[in-house]
Every structure is written in C-alpha cells, then in structure tokens.
C-alpha cells in the first residue's frame, strides 16, 4: 500500500509539474507601487495574480483585479503606493500541493475559486512555494484526462459486453452440448439394434433368396420332362445342404421378431428427435401460450440421460392453464434445475417436481434430496460466474441465466436448502402477461 | 469341438435379441438383462466371452466386468456401450480390464470379429488358468525388470524411482527420440507414459509397444482427458491402467506392483499374452508414425547387434 501510494504520488506530481509556472515570488515588504510595476512586465501578461511569499511559505496572492479595484479610486496611487503589499493580499489563496491528484486539485480549485476569475492558484511542495498554476491550464489538463478516461471506459464497456455475450453464448453452448450429447447417447441404443437387425436381415435375405432360387430350379426341373434324375437328385442334395446350413423357418421367425424390434427402435429414435425439436422449439414462435407442464415434460425427456438409472422422478403436476411465455427459455430453466439436482444427488436420488396454480400465478417447485447448498453459497447462487463445480464443468452462468429468464417473465425464483437434506427451487410466474412482459420476452430472445 | 459360449448383458432386451441372432449360428449364446444373473452364469458355466453394456440400472458394466475378472479370469471381457463418457472408459481400463471397448451403434462385422478373436484367445487361456498361477510364478527367477517413463517432466520418474528404488532399472525418456532409443536397447517390463510430450502426441508409441513385446505393460499417467482417444488406446494399445496426473504415490505404487507381477506372469505363461492382443491402428497418420517407429527401432537394434 505504502509503495503504491508513493508510486501514485510520483505520477500525480509529474502531472502537476506540467502546470507549474515558476514565477518569482514577491516579498511581503515590497511596496504596492513596485508590485504594480511588475504587472506591467510583458512576461506576466498572462498572470492574474502574483504570489507573496515569506521564508518560502506562501502568505497570499495579490491580483491584477485588486489593483484595478484600488486604482479606480481617486489618489489611490498616492495613498497606497508606499505601503507594504502584505496589507493588500488575499490571505486565503488557492493552494495546491504538487503531489495532489489532478482531479482532487481541480475539485478544490473549482470549489473555492471566485467569480469572476481573478486569481491563479499557488502550487506548493511540502507547503513551500513552488510556482503559479493557471486555472485554464488545469481545466485543459482535466479535459484531456477525462477524454482519455471516457475512451478507456468505452473500451472497457465494449470488451465487457462482448465477453458477457461470449459467456452467455458459451453457457448456452455448454447446456446445448450436454443436451445433444445426452440425446445422441440415448439414440445409440435403438440405433445399435436397428442397424444390427438390418445387417442380419440383409445377410438372411441373401441366403433365403439362394434357397428360393434352388427350390424354383427344382420345381422347374420337376416340370421339365427332359430333366434327368441325376440333375434332380443333385438339386435336391443342394437344397438339403442349404437347409442344413440355414434353418429358414426358425431364422425367418426370429427375423420377424427383429423386424418388430426394429420398428419399435425407429419409433424410439423418432420420439427422441421429436423431444429435441420440442425442447429447442426452433420452429415455433418465440412466445407462445403453453401449458407449463409440457415444458417440464420436455425438459425431463431431454434430461433423461442424466437422470436415468440414478434418480427417481416424482411428478405432482397440477392442472394448469396455458400461459403466454417463451417456452424454449423456460425449458432451459427447467433442464438447468433438473441437471443441477441430478448432480447434487448420489444413490437413491429423488427429484420431486410440483406445479400448482393460485389466483394470479403458476408455481413450480423442484426438490431434490441431494447434498444441499452451504448457507454461504446460497446467497450467491444466482450470481453470474458463481459455481461450486470444478473448473471446466460449470460456467457459473446456468442459474444466473435462469434467474434472468424468470425475471423477464415477470416472475421470481428462490431457493431453500439444508445441507445434507436437499434443496428446493421455487418458481412463481404471473398468469396475467401484460404487454410489457410480452416485449420483454422479445428482448430475451435477442439477449440469449 | 463344441461351440464357444458368449454371455450377453444389456438392460435393453432388444439389444440382446439382436446380438443373439448375430452369434446364434457359431456360438452358444447366453443372455440376460440382470448383471447378478450374469455373475451366476459366470460361476457355473464356462464362458469364453462376456459382452456387457455399461449403463445399467443395477450395476455398471465396468463393475460387472471387474467381478467377472475374479469370478472367471479366463473369460474375455468386452464392453459395448452407447455412452462414451470418460469415467466409464477409465473404469473399463482400470477395473474391467476390457479386451475391447466397442460403441453402439456397431458394425455387425466389427463385433463379430472382435468376439471371434476373443473366443479363440479365451479357449487358449482356459488351460493356463486351470493351473495354479501363483505357484508357477514363484518358481521362476527373472533378471532385473526395466521400467521406462515417457514424460516431458521428471516428476513421475522421480516418484517411480522412490517406489521401486534399486529393484528395477528405471529409465526416463523426455522425448520420442529417447523413448525410441530406450525401447530399442532392451525389453521393457512396464512403460509409464503421458499421452502428450509438450505438443507431441505419443499415442502412436503406446500403440506400437505391444508389437515390440506383447508382454510389456503400459500405465498411462496423464492429465489429458479425451474419451475417444482413451477408447482408441484401450483397443489399439491395450493399456493396462489410466491414472490421473498428478498421480498419488500409493496409487502408482500399487499399480506398478501389479503390472510388474503381470509382466512376470506373461513371461512365464506366454499363452496368456494374446489376452492383450491389440486391434489395428485406425488413424492413418498414427499408422505411418508407428511404421516409421518400428523401422527405426529395427535399424537401431541391427546397429547394436553388429
């Protein structure tokens, strides 16, 4: 700290030094007439006031304006000319220390200067006279500084804005990536057996076709009067050999089962793809009147990969009216809550999802019996970049974005948690969606 | 000769029915959706190959295969999964010690050939596993084992030195050239290697090691986490362990011991070394690198011999 402030002082001193005009000070015993002479010196043309200094300490300043004031009166020269200047000075001049920050000095000068501007300010070093500063120079220096500050601020602002956009985008990509990976994995199982069944069917098809060709040739020869017994018995032997290799009846029976399985599997794949489509709602309007329960089902379908085999999902979904909202964003909120819950739970996880309605709102609660959230974390849980997950696993934006989405729907989200017992998130969304929240969700679409 | 037995486990019955049809004509097919039933079958029947799903409600596939290792050590273990997550693949190396890590959806011919290879290897190892392996091992006196550390930093080799001391000859190679020279000099019992030496990917070296000596055991110690690369290393390098970096001394010590033990076992029972037969390198660039590597080692060895 000490080091820093010394460093700062040096910087300030350098700035201030540029403002110092090393004007020779006046001893307090000089006469008024002598000092008046000095103001006529062309070197002092710009100077409004001259410093009066004794033993290095500034006693005050005497201004050109004071002389004008004085000499406008009759016989002023005669009355005052011989007297010491110390009786005429302003004993409270504007004082600025060399190592004072520019902004502080400017503030001090601005607060204490008189109108019209009649005096310059005195610059001291450790209380001793150093020189005179012109107020205009100080203002100019401040203006340069402010311009630089503004540019810096603008730069910082645009950097911040783009990095925020990038982060929101990366959170979106992260959750999207997780979701796509999950569904891709889900698809692999039906795809696995469907593909295998088709490969088996293809092979079987070739064998059965050969066998049919054999039978047909035999039938042809049996009907052909010119065919010899040797030919016919040869063909029959060939058919017997094929029958030995392939139990067509059994294999075709099996294959029939595999065909049914394959159709089932294709149905599963279609359903998964439909889930993805419903979840992303890429082809739907940004805002739509939907039943929130369907958003929850959609998020559960997509999150199945993280929940499956690990978490028992208990749904207590009440009868809900449709509400106008941005379903793709609410889907995102629900998926985020479900996956967070799944990650917080170990064996025997229970995820309880409730929805209900009161006079003017729809309520959703998501409860897990996971490890809970520490009280000191609870207050930060909706803060951007707050995460307790290991580096690389969470962006710390999931809940912040969820919070934002709920706010922009005019609702609220809050959390209750007890360590070791579990966590509940409560969401309230107002039913009556006015025009304002309608526009809000358009804004939302642009932001996220 | 009777047909080899294949045991299929998946929580999706349709997968089982589909696979069964693939193997019906050449194998005695046993199948179940219940891992506990699978363990019971392993205990009571002679199973050549077990093919298990990874994600199942009752038990993870890697866990089932770990139990299979103890219950029926001669059985060859294959994982067939649609979920290529890192934890599962690490567990399948360290616990399941799988012969192949196959992904759903699969190509019928790939699965068929992997199972056929595994079945033949299992058949050969049944006779070996029936003798008491411990007693076989104890009787054999070996020369000092050689441990090669391939890592751009020295930390791992220092830890290995602390663990093994003078029992083994310990060599540290911090680049590919040095690794090659050391591998050319003499047989290596255990290789402890990172996957990246600075910017250089040395997976091709690991994939070549079994071609130099199928008995060499490979422990990967790395902070590099990439599931698909790891799956390749399982199939094409048959790495024995995959440990996170920085590695704890106890963990490394335990694994070094068991790998030295396994090296000795394979030396005394060469019939078992096929259990770690590798699949061909799939990446063209790595295939070329591996070829060059083998060629250079060959030349180095010829020069030493001359």
């Amino acid at each position: 700290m000490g080091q820093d402030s010394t460093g700062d002082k040096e910087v300030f001193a350098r700035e201030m030094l540029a403002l110092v005009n090393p004007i020779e000070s006046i001893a307090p015993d000089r006469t008024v007439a002598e000092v008046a002479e000095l103001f006529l010196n062309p070197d002092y043309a710009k100077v409004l006031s001259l410093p009066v200094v004794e033993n290095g300490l500034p006693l005050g300043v005497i201004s050109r304006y004071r002389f004008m004031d004085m000499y406008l009166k009759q016989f002023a020269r005669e009355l005052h000319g011989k007297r010491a200047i110390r009786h005429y000075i302003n004993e409270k001049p504007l004082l600025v220390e060399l190592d004072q920050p520019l902004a502080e000095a400017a503030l001090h000068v601005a607060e204490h200067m008189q109108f019209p501007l009649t005096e310059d300010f005195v610059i001291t070093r450790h209380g001793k006279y150093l020189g005179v500063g012109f107020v205009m120079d100080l203002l100019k220096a401040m203006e340069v500084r402010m311009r630089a500050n503004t540019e810096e601020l603008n730069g910082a602002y645009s950097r911040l804005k783009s990095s925020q956009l990038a982060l929101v985008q990366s959170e979106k990509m992260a959750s999207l990536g997780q979701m796509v990976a999950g569904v891709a994995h889900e698809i692999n199982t039906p795809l696995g057996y469907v593909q295998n069944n088709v490969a088996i069917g293809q092979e079987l098809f070739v064998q059965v076709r050969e066998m049919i060709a054999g039978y047909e040739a035999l039938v042809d020869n049996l009907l052909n009067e010119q065919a010899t017994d040797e030919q016919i018995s040869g063909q029959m032997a060939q058919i017997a050999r094929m029958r030995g290799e392939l139990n067509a009846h059994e294999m075709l029976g099996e294959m029939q089962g595999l065909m049914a399985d394959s159709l089932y599997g294709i149905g599963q794949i279609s359903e998964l793809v439909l889930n993805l489509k419903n979840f992303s709602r890429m082809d739907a309007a940004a805002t739509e009147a939907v039943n929130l329960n369907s958003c929850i089902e959609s998020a559960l379908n997509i999150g199945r990969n993280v929940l499956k085999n690990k978490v028992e999902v208990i749904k207590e979904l009440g009868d809900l009216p449709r509400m106008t909202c941005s379903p793709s964003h609410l889907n995102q909120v629900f998926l985020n809550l479900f996956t967070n819950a799944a990650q917080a739970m170990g064996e025997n996880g229970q995820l309880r999802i409730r929805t209900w309605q009161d006079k003017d709102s729809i309520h959703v609660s998501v409860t897990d019996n996971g490890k809970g959230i520490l009280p000191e974390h609870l207050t930060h849980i909706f803060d951007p970049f707050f995460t307790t997950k290991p580096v690389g696993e969470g962006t710390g934006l999931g809940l912040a974005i969820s919070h934002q989405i709920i706010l922009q729907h005019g609702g609220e989200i809050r959390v209750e948690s007890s360590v070791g017992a579990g966590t509940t998130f409560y969401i309230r969304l107002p039913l009556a969606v006015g025009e304002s929240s309608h526009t809000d969700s358009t804004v939302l679409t642009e932001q996220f | 000769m009777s047909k080899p037995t294949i045991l299929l486990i998946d929580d999706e019955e349709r997968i089982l029915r589909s696979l069964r049809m693939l193997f019906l004509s050449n194998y005695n097919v046993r199948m179940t959706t219940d891992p506990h039933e699978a363990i019971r079958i392993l205990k009571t029947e002679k199973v050549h190959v077990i093919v298990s799903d990874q994600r199942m409600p009752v038990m993870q596939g890697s866990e089932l295969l770990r139990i299979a290792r103890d219950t029926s050590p001669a059985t060859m273990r294959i994982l067939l999964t649609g979920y290529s997550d890192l934890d599962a693949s690490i567990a399948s190396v360290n616990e399941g010690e799988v012969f192949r890590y196959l992904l759903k959806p699969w190509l019928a011919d790939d699965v068929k050939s992997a199972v056929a290879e595994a079945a033949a290897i299992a058949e050969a190892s049944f006779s070996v596993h029936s003798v008491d392996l411990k007693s076989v091992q104890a009787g054999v006196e070996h020369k000092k084992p050689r441990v090669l550390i391939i890592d751009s930093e020295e930390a791992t080799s220092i830890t290995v030195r602390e663990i093994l001391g003078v029992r083994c000859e310990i060599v540290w190679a911090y680049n590919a050239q040095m690794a090659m020279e050391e591998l050319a000099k003499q047989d290596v019992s255990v290789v402890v290697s990172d996957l990246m030496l600075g910017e250089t990917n040395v997976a091709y070296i690991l994939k070549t090691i079994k071609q130099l000596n199928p008995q060499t055991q490979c422990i990967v110690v790395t902070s590099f986490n990439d599931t698909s690369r790891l799956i390749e290393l399982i199939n094409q390098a048959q790495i024995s362990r995959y440990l996170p970096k920085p590695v704890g001394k106890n963990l490394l010590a335990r694994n070094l011991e068991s790998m030295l033990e396994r090296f000795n076992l394979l030396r005394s029972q060469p019939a078992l070394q096929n259990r770690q037969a590798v699949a061909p390198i799939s990446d063209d660039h790595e295939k070329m690198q591996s070829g060059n590597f083998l060629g250079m080692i060959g030349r180095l060895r010829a020069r030493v011999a001359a």
Side-chain angles (χ1 to χ4, degrees), chain A residues 123-400:
Chain A
I123 302 169
T124 56
R125 178 192 270 157
H126 309 307
K128 298 256 174 129
Y129 173 74
L130 193 66
V132 168
F134 302 138
V135 174
M136 287 311 289
D137 288 351
L138 181 60
L139 291 181
K140 233 175 272 168
M142 273 307 288
E143 197 205 328
V144 170
R145 162 77 77 80
M146 297 240 309
R147 203 176 303 136
N149 278 354
T150 312
E151 272 165 27
E152 202 176 307
L153 268 176
N154 279 336
Y157 177 69
S158 61
R159 276 197 302 278
L160 203 65
K161 207 170 150 187
S162 66
S163 69
Q164 189 200 356
L165 270 179
L167 278 163
V168 168
Q169 192 60 23
S170 86
E171 165 66 21
K172 203 175 155 190
M173 288 313 289
S175 52
L176 198 72
Q178 201 181 21
M179 182 181 93
V180 169
V183 174
H185 282 157
E186 286 275 321
I187 286 180
N188 283 341
T189 292
L191 201 54
Y193 62 80
V194 170
Q195 181 172 308
N196 196 53
N197 291 350
V198 171
I200 291 168
Q202 199 177 26
E203 203 177 309
L204 188 63
F205 177 82
V206 173
Q207 287 175 304
V208 171
R209 195 170 63 179
E210 273 174 22
M211 197 175 262
I212 290 173
Y215 280 121
E216 278 179 348
L218 177 63
V219 171
D220 284 349
N221 268 347
L222 285 174
L223 295 175
N224 182 359
E225 286 172 8
Q226 277 153 25
T228 63
D229 283 351
E230 287 82 47
Q231 277 178 321
I232 288 169
S233 60
Q235 280 174 326
M236 287 176 76
Q238 197 193 350
I239 287 168
R241 186 175 48 76
M242 283 197 285
R243 287 184 66 176
E245 281 169 12
L246 177 76
N247 183 341
H249 187 72
E250 189 192 309
M251 291 305 255
L252 287 174
E254 294 274 352
M255 198 60 226
Q256 198 172 5
L258 295 192
M259 290 290 193
D261 283 353
S262 299
L263 280 176
Y264 178 89
I266 288 166
Q268 290 265 292
I269 295 169
S270 312
E271 198 188 310
L272 286 163
V273 172
L274 188 70
N275 283 343
L276 263 188
K277 202 179 76 135
N278 283 345
F279 184 85
S280 69
R281 306 186 78 93
M282 283 302 189
D283 50 358
T287 54
E288 210 180 329
V290 295
N291 186 327
L292 226 53
N293 289 340
S294 71
C295 290
I296 288 170
E297 295 284 2
S298 174
L300 276 175
N301 280 333
I302 293 299
R304 190 156 59 187
N305 167 47
V306 278
L307 299 169
K308 195 174 99 170
N309 300 344
K310 193 179 151 191
V311 178
E312 183 195 358
V313 179
I314 302 161
K315 288 182 282 188
E316 294 168 17
L317 306 182
D319 280 339
L320 298 181
R322 286 164 170 265
M323 67 170 287
T324 304
C325 60
S326 168
S328 68
H329 290 124
L330 291 180
N331 286 347
Q332 197 183 334
V333 172
F334 294 135
L335 181 65
N336 184 242
L337 292 182
F338 299 161
T339 47
N340 281 349
Q343 283 163 358
M345 290 185 283
E347 298 282 305
N348 304 321
Q350 249 189 16
L351 181 68
R352 189 178 294 270
I353 304 159
R354 289 184 61 218
T355 59
W356 70 97
Q357 178 196 359
D358 62 19
K359 205 168 78 226
D360 49 12
S361 298
I362 287 175
H363 299 263
V364 182
S365 71
V366 178
T367 306
D368 67 57
N369 61 351
K371 55 181 181 259
I373 303 163
L374 294 171
E376 62 263 37
H377 290 162
L378 212 54
T379 45
H380 297 292
I381 199 157
F382 298 113
D383 292 355
F385 311 117
F386 180 80
T387 180
T388 56
K389 293 175 194 170
V391 175
E393 276 185 33
T395 58
L397 285 174
L399 278 174

Side-chain angles (χ1 to χ4, degrees), chain A residues 56-115:
Chain A
L57 299 173
L59 293 181
V61 294
I62 175 74
S63 67
R64 211 182 273 276
Y65 190 82
R66 178 88 175 85
F67 276 104
M68 273 160 53
D69 214 21
M70 195 161 41
Y71 281 17
L72 280 175
K73 293 178 184 124
Q74 264 194 331
F75 312 115
R77 223 175 273 261
E78 288 71 19
L79 278 172
H80 305 292
K82 296 268 168 57
R83 298 195 65 190
I85 196 71
R86 73 162 76 230
H87 305 296
Y88 299 88
I89 60 177
N90 171 10
E91 289 179 336
K92 286 183 178 158
L94 292 165
L95 287 177
V96 167
E97 261 290 320
L98 185 69
D99 57 8
Q100 227 175 338
L102 202 61
E104 198 182 300
L107 193 69
H108 174 74
V109 170
E111 273 176 358
H112 296 93
M113 74 184 185
Q114 282 165 351
F115 290 97

Side-chain angles (χ1 to χ4, degrees), chain B residues 53-66:
Chain B
D53 184 20
Q54 171 63 13
R55 281 211 186 182
M56 294 178 288
V58 189
M59 194 188 284
Q60 299 282 291
S62 48
E63 167 73 2
L64 172 62
L65 296 182
R66 186 190 60 77

